[in-house]
Amino acid sequence: VFFVQDVMVQNVPFRHFLHDALAQWRLPLWEPRINCGFPLFAEGQVGALYPPNWLLAALFSPAGAVTASSILHLWLAAAGTFAFLRSLACCRAAALTGGLAYGLGGFLVVRAMSPNYLAGAAGMPFLFLLVETGLAQGRPLRLGAAGGVLALQLLAGHPQAASYAAVAAAAYGALRAWQLGRGPREVLLGM
């Protein structure tokens, strides 16, 4: 179990209350066991509407779910980066190196104390992949799918990570559209 800082004092206790609520088929709107009551659902870091949290709650204890979430999202970050780099025609070795550098690099590993940040940051390479393939292959539906990835990042419970990813993907998309000589009309019509 990754027990450091926020994991021990915030994330595992929050997941415990989330697990209890989900076991009773309800959303954790109000938690009376925290101080004199706490609006747990309003605390975004709980990730109460993030689908992987529901699955992990069904499979593991709260501490196990936090650990599994961290491992899952580090793996997703690496796999997404690998897929993105392969879409850019990088060789497998280069894509694997890039995936491991992002998924197991200091930027994400140091954030193991914040599993919701990991969940948000893990979606960034998928945003880049969908923007790249949507623009390069003329598939505007993939740009819409990027919006779905961004929505999942927001539900994960760390808007800062989702905001970083959205701004970076938008800048990348604008640069790639310019490089490909595509304006907004061509992008939307898949030309």
mmCIF file of all heavy atoms in Angstrom, residues 75-104:
data_model
loop_
_atom_site.group_PDB
_atom_site.id
_atom_site.type_symbol
_atom_site.label_atom_id
_atom_site.label_comp_id
_atom_site.label_asym_id
_atom_site.label_seq_id
_atom_site.Cartn_x
_atom_site.Cartn_y
_atom_site.Cartn_z
ATOM 1 N N TRP A 75 0.177 2.611 -15.108
ATOM 2 C CA TRP A 75 0.226 1.753 -16.291
ATOM 3 C C TRP A 75 -0.484 2.413 -17.468
ATOM 4 O O TRP A 75 0.015 2.401 -18.599
ATOM 5 C CB TRP A 75 -0.405 0.386 -15.983
ATOM 6 C CG TRP A 75 -0.348 -0.526 -17.164
ATOM 7 C CD1 TRP A 75 0.686 -1.326 -17.540
ATOM 8 C CD2 TRP A 75 -1.375 -0.698 -18.150
ATOM 9 N NE1 TRP A 75 0.374 -1.985 -18.703
ATOM 10 C CE2 TRP A 75 -0.890 -1.617 -19.100
ATOM 11 C CE3 TRP A 75 -2.641 -0.161 -18.321
ATOM 12 C CZ2 TRP A 75 -1.632 -2.010 -20.203
ATOM 13 C CZ3 TRP A 75 -3.390 -0.560 -19.426
ATOM 14 C CH2 TRP A 75 -2.890 -1.472 -20.343
ATOM 15 N N LEU A 76 -1.662 2.997 -17.232
ATOM 16 C CA LEU A 76 -2.394 3.668 -18.310
ATOM 17 C C LEU A 76 -1.596 4.841 -18.876
ATOM 18 O O LEU A 76 -1.600 5.079 -20.088
ATOM 19 C CB LEU A 76 -3.757 4.154 -17.821
ATOM 20 C CG LEU A 76 -4.831 3.092 -17.655
ATOM 21 C CD1 LEU A 76 -6.065 3.671 -16.975
ATOM 22 C CD2 LEU A 76 -5.185 2.471 -18.999
ATOM 23 N N ALA A 77 -0.924 5.596 -18.008
ATOM 24 C CA ALA A 77 -0.097 6.708 -18.475
ATOM 25 C C ALA A 77 1.003 6.204 -19.402
ATOM 26 O O ALA A 77 1.253 6.789 -20.464
ATOM 27 C CB ALA A 77 0.500 7.456 -17.285
ATOM 28 N N ALA A 78 1.643 5.103 -19.024
ATOM 29 C CA ALA A 78 2.704 4.532 -19.863
ATOM 30 C C ALA A 78 2.134 3.980 -21.161
ATOM 31 O O ALA A 78 2.683 4.224 -22.243
ATOM 32 C CB ALA A 78 3.447 3.434 -19.084
ATOM 33 N N ALA A 79 1.031 3.248 -21.087
ATOM 34 C CA ALA A 79 0.435 2.652 -22.286
ATOM 35 C C ALA A 79 -0.083 3.732 -23.234
ATOM 36 O O ALA A 79 0.064 3.622 -24.464
ATOM 37 C CB ALA A 79 -0.698 1.708 -21.892
ATOM 38 N N GLY A 80 -0.695 4.773 -22.693
ATOM 39 C CA GLY A 80 -1.182 5.861 -23.535
ATOM 40 C C GLY A 80 -0.054 6.595 -24.238
ATOM 41 O O GLY A 80 -0.177 6.952 -25.416
ATOM 42 N N THR A 81 1.034 6.810 -23.528
ATOM 43 C CA THR A 81 2.183 7.470 -24.136
ATOM 44 C C THR A 81 2.775 6.598 -25.232
ATOM 45 O O THR A 81 3.129 7.087 -26.310
ATOM 46 C CB THR A 81 3.247 7.817 -23.075
ATOM 47 O OG1 THR A 81 2.635 8.638 -22.077
ATOM 48 C CG2 THR A 81 4.432 8.539 -23.681
ATOM 49 N N PHE A 82 2.867 5.297 -24.968
ATOM 50 C CA PHE A 82 3.354 4.362 -25.983
ATOM 51 C C PHE A 82 2.487 4.448 -27.234
ATOM 52 O O PHE A 82 2.991 4.578 -28.353
ATOM 53 C CB PHE A 82 3.352 2.933 -25.419
ATOM 54 C CG PHE A 82 3.752 1.892 -26.423
ATOM 55 C CD1 PHE A 82 5.092 1.592 -26.628
ATOM 56 C CD2 PHE A 82 2.798 1.204 -27.160
ATOM 57 C CE1 PHE A 82 5.474 0.630 -27.562
ATOM 58 C CE2 PHE A 82 3.158 0.246 -28.087
ATOM 59 C CZ PHE A 82 4.499 -0.042 -28.299
ATOM 60 N N ALA A 83 1.166 4.397 -27.072
ATOM 61 C CA ALA A 83 0.255 4.445 -28.222
ATOM 62 C C ALA A 83 0.369 5.778 -28.962
ATOM 63 O O ALA A 83 0.363 5.811 -30.202
ATOM 64 C CB ALA A 83 -1.177 4.214 -27.758
ATOM 65 N N PHE A 84 0.468 6.874 -28.220
ATOM 66 C CA PHE A 84 0.612 8.187 -28.856
ATOM 67 C C PHE A 84 1.894 8.245 -29.679
ATOM 68 O O PHE A 84 1.888 8.681 -30.839
ATOM 69 C CB PHE A 84 0.585 9.301 -27.805
ATOM 70 C CG PHE A 84 0.983 10.642 -28.336
ATOM 71 C CD1 PHE A 84 0.259 11.256 -29.343
ATOM 72 C CD2 PHE A 84 2.095 11.295 -27.835
ATOM 73 C CE1 PHE A 84 0.634 12.502 -29.846
ATOM 74 C CE2 PHE A 84 2.473 12.531 -28.326
ATOM 75 C CZ PHE A 84 1.745 13.133 -29.334
ATOM 76 N N LEU A 85 2.995 7.803 -29.106
ATOM 77 C CA LEU A 85 4.263 7.854 -29.833
ATOM 78 C C LEU A 85 4.259 6.930 -31.043
ATOM 79 O O LEU A 85 4.839 7.260 -32.078
ATOM 80 C CB LEU A 85 5.424 7.539 -28.881
ATOM 81 C CG LEU A 85 5.664 8.594 -27.802
ATOM 82 C CD1 LEU A 85 6.726 8.132 -26.815
ATOM 83 C CD2 LEU A 85 6.033 9.932 -28.421
ATOM 84 N N ARG A 86 3.590 5.799 -30.933
ATOM 85 C CA ARG A 86 3.469 4.912 -32.107
ATOM 86 C C ARG A 86 2.643 5.581 -33.204
ATOM 87 O O ARG A 86 2.914 5.396 -34.387
ATOM 88 C CB ARG A 86 2.842 3.581 -31.716
ATOM 89 C CG ARG A 86 3.740 2.687 -30.874
ATOM 90 C CD ARG A 86 4.960 2.201 -31.606
ATOM 91 N NE ARG A 86 4.565 1.216 -32.598
ATOM 92 C CZ ARG A 86 5.307 0.829 -33.625
ATOM 93 N NH1 ARG A 86 6.506 1.363 -33.795
ATOM 94 N NH2 ARG A 86 4.883 -0.061 -34.465
ATOM 95 N N SER A 87 1.646 6.382 -32.813
ATOM 96 C CA SER A 87 0.849 7.094 -33.825
ATOM 97 C C SER A 87 1.685 8.135 -34.559
ATOM 98 O O SER A 87 1.334 8.540 -35.665
ATOM 99 C CB SER A 87 -0.378 7.752 -33.182
ATOM 100 O OG SER A 87 -0.026 8.944 -32.504
ATOM 101 N N LEU A 88 2.774 8.555 -33.950
ATOM 102 C CA LEU A 88 3.699 9.495 -34.591
ATOM 103 C C LEU A 88 4.786 8.775 -35.382
ATOM 104 O O LEU A 88 5.752 9.397 -35.811
ATOM 105 C CB LEU A 88 4.363 10.395 -33.532
ATOM 106 C CG LEU A 88 3.438 11.325 -32.758
ATOM 107 C CD1 LEU A 88 4.215 12.080 -31.693
ATOM 108 C CD2 LEU A 88 2.734 12.289 -33.691
ATOM 109 N N ALA A 89 4.630 7.458 -35.542
ATOM 110 C CA ALA A 89 5.555 6.606 -36.293
ATOM 111 C C ALA A 89 6.890 6.413 -35.581
ATOM 112 O O ALA A 89 7.901 6.132 -36.222
ATOM 113 C CB ALA A 89 5.761 7.124 -37.722
ATOM 114 N N CYS A 90 6.915 6.549 -34.266
ATOM 115 C CA CYS A 90 8.124 6.215 -33.513
ATOM 116 C C CYS A 90 8.277 4.702 -33.493
ATOM 117 O O CYS A 90 7.284 3.968 -33.454
ATOM 118 C CB CYS A 90 8.031 6.729 -32.076
ATOM 119 S SG CYS A 90 8.098 8.515 -31.922
ATOM 120 N N CYS A 91 9.509 4.230 -33.486
ATOM 121 C CA CYS A 91 9.721 2.781 -33.398
ATOM 122 C C CYS A 91 9.290 2.286 -32.022
ATOM 123 O O CYS A 91 9.117 3.080 -31.082
ATOM 124 C CB CYS A 91 11.185 2.449 -33.679
ATOM 125 S SG CYS A 91 12.340 2.986 -32.393
ATOM 126 N N ARG A 92 9.107 0.981 -31.893
ATOM 127 C CA ARG A 92 8.628 0.411 -30.625
ATOM 128 C C ARG A 92 9.540 0.745 -29.457
ATOM 129 O O ARG A 92 9.073 1.043 -28.361
ATOM 130 C CB ARG A 92 8.467 -1.103 -30.761
ATOM 131 C CG ARG A 92 7.237 -1.516 -31.481
ATOM 132 C CD ARG A 92 7.019 -3.040 -31.385
ATOM 133 N NE ARG A 92 5.798 -3.419 -32.051
ATOM 134 C CZ ARG A 92 5.699 -3.782 -33.320
ATOM 135 N NH1 ARG A 92 6.798 -3.834 -34.065
ATOM 136 N NH2 ARG A 92 4.546 -4.116 -33.844
ATOM 137 N N ALA A 93 10.851 0.673 -29.690
ATOM 138 C CA ALA A 93 11.798 0.947 -28.595
ATOM 139 C C ALA A 93 11.668 2.386 -28.111
ATOM 140 O O ALA A 93 11.659 2.655 -26.902
ATOM 141 C CB ALA A 93 13.227 0.657 -29.041
ATOM 142 N N ALA A 94 11.533 3.319 -29.039
ATOM 143 C CA ALA A 94 11.399 4.726 -28.653
ATOM 144 C C ALA A 94 10.066 4.956 -27.948
ATOM 145 O O ALA A 94 10.001 5.678 -26.946
ATOM 146 C CB ALA A 94 11.500 5.625 -29.883
ATOM 147 N N ALA A 95 8.998 4.347 -28.458
ATOM 148 C CA ALA A 95 7.687 4.499 -27.832
ATOM 149 C C ALA A 95 7.667 3.876 -26.438
ATOM 150 O O ALA A 95 7.078 4.436 -25.513
ATOM 151 C CB ALA A 95 6.607 3.883 -28.714
ATOM 152 N N LEU A 96 8.319 2.727 -26.284
ATOM 153 C CA LEU A 96 8.395 2.077 -24.980
ATOM 154 C C LEU A 96 9.191 2.942 -24.000
ATOM 155 O O LEU A 96 8.778 3.128 -22.851
ATOM 156 C CB LEU A 96 9.021 0.692 -25.100
ATOM 157 C CG LEU A 96 9.165 -0.097 -23.815
ATOM 158 C CD1 LEU A 96 7.798 -0.387 -23.196
ATOM 159 C CD2 LEU A 96 9.913 -1.391 -24.060
ATOM 160 N N THR A 97 10.285 3.496 -24.464
ATOM 161 C CA THR A 97 11.090 4.377 -23.613
ATOM 162 C C THR A 97 10.285 5.600 -23.184
ATOM 163 O O THR A 97 10.282 5.980 -22.013
ATOM 164 C CB THR A 97 12.380 4.808 -24.339
ATOM 165 O OG1 THR A 97 13.119 3.634 -24.692
ATOM 166 C CG2 THR A 97 13.220 5.725 -23.474
ATOM 167 N N GLY A 98 9.590 6.203 -24.132
ATOM 168 C CA GLY A 98 8.754 7.360 -23.808
ATOM 169 C C GLY A 98 7.637 7.003 -22.849
ATOM 170 O O GLY A 98 7.348 7.754 -21.910
ATOM 171 N N GLY A 99 6.998 5.857 -23.070
ATOM 172 C CA GLY A 99 5.923 5.424 -22.183
ATOM 173 C C GLY A 99 6.414 5.184 -20.767
ATOM 174 O O GLY A 99 5.777 5.611 -19.798
ATOM 175 N N LEU A 100 7.548 4.517 -20.645
ATOM 176 C CA LEU A 100 8.103 4.269 -19.317
ATOM 177 C C LEU A 100 8.572 5.555 -18.648
ATOM 178 O O LEU A 100 8.426 5.722 -17.438
ATOM 179 C CB LEU A 100 9.248 3.254 -19.400
ATOM 180 C CG LEU A 100 8.823 1.832 -19.759
ATOM 181 C CD1 LEU A 100 10.049 0.938 -19.971
ATOM 182 C CD2 LEU A 100 7.897 1.251 -18.710
ATOM 183 N N ALA A 101 9.112 6.475 -19.457
ATOM 184 C CA ALA A 101 9.574 7.754 -18.892
ATOM 185 C C ALA A 101 8.399 8.552 -18.324
ATOM 186 O O ALA A 101 8.526 9.179 -17.268
ATOM 187 C CB ALA A 101 10.303 8.563 -19.957
ATOM 188 N N TYR A 102 7.258 8.543 -19.015
ATOM 189 C CA TYR A 102 6.111 9.283 -18.494
ATOM 190 C C TYR A 102 5.417 8.504 -17.377
ATOM 191 O O TYR A 102 5.134 9.052 -16.316
ATOM 192 C CB TYR A 102 5.116 9.609 -19.617
ATOM 193 C CG TYR A 102 3.941 10.433 -19.128
ATOM 194 C CD1 TYR A 102 4.130 11.714 -18.632
ATOM 195 C CD2 TYR A 102 2.650 9.917 -19.139
ATOM 196 C CE1 TYR A 102 3.070 12.473 -18.169
ATOM 197 C CE2 TYR A 102 1.582 10.674 -18.684
ATOM 198 C CZ TYR A 102 1.795 11.945 -18.199
ATOM 199 O OH TYR A 102 0.738 12.687 -17.733
ATOM 200 N N GLY A 103 5.146 7.232 -17.610
ATOM 201 C CA GLY A 103 4.391 6.439 -16.637
ATOM 202 C C GLY A 103 5.136 6.138 -15.351
ATOM 203 O O GLY A 103 4.514 5.977 -14.297
ATOM 204 N N LEU A 104 6.439 6.047 -15.425
ATOM 205 C CA LEU A 104 7.224 5.730 -14.229
ATOM 206 C C LEU A 104 8.246 6.810 -13.892
ATOM 207 O O LEU A 104 9.132 6.594 -13.072
ATOM 208 C CB LEU A 104 7.934 4.384 -14.409
ATOM 209 C CG LEU A 104 7.007 3.177 -14.554
ATOM 210 C CD1 LEU A 104 7.816 1.913 -14.804
ATOM 211 C CD2 LEU A 104 6.116 3.027 -13.340
#
